[in-house]
Amino acid sequence: FGRGIYMVTFESSKDVLGVDLGSQGAGPELSKRIACGSIAGAITWVVVYPADVVRNRLMGDWQGTAYAGALDCVQKALREDGVRGIYRGLSYSLVRAVPVA
């Protein structure tokens, strides 16, 4: 799922920045490709991160006492922390993911 989002956003950002439109210069082309990868990585994390938070909460509840399932986990997380809680820690993932992409 995440890889599909990455590839769609990578290709879309290449279209927006005009990468692969026949330019001969490797320098500007390379920097645009790096920017496209960084944009795609950041967007992918923003989309996928809530599912990762739910997965981590469910893994932490290994005894099965806090949550009845994934939907219950999402509902409780939103009720307790709001949308901000679902995205808590995203900035660290972005700092790590953007240069790698």
Side-chain angles (χ1 to χ4, degrees), residues 55-79:
R55 180 187 60 86
N56 285 328
R57 286 181 179 221
L58 290 172
M59 294 289 286
D61 181 35
W62 58 274
Q63 292 177 326
T65 58
Y67 308 110
L71 184 59
D72 182 49
C73 181
V74 170
Q75 290 172 340
K76 286 182 179 177
L78 288 173
R79 192 176 324 117

Side-chain angles (χ1 to χ4, degrees), residues 34-35 37-43 45 91-101:
I34 291 170
S38 296
I39 291 166
I43 290 172
W45 266 110
S91 59
Y92 299 111
S93 295
L94 289 176
V95 166
R96 185 190 75 213
V98 170
V100 173

Side-chain angles (χ1 to χ4, degrees), residues 28-49:
E29 190 78 10
L30 178 60
S31 62
K32 286 182 180 180
R33 284 182 179 276
I34 291 170
C36 292
S38 296
I39 291 166
I43 290 172
T44 300
W45 266 110
V46 169
V47 172
V48 173
Y49 198 77

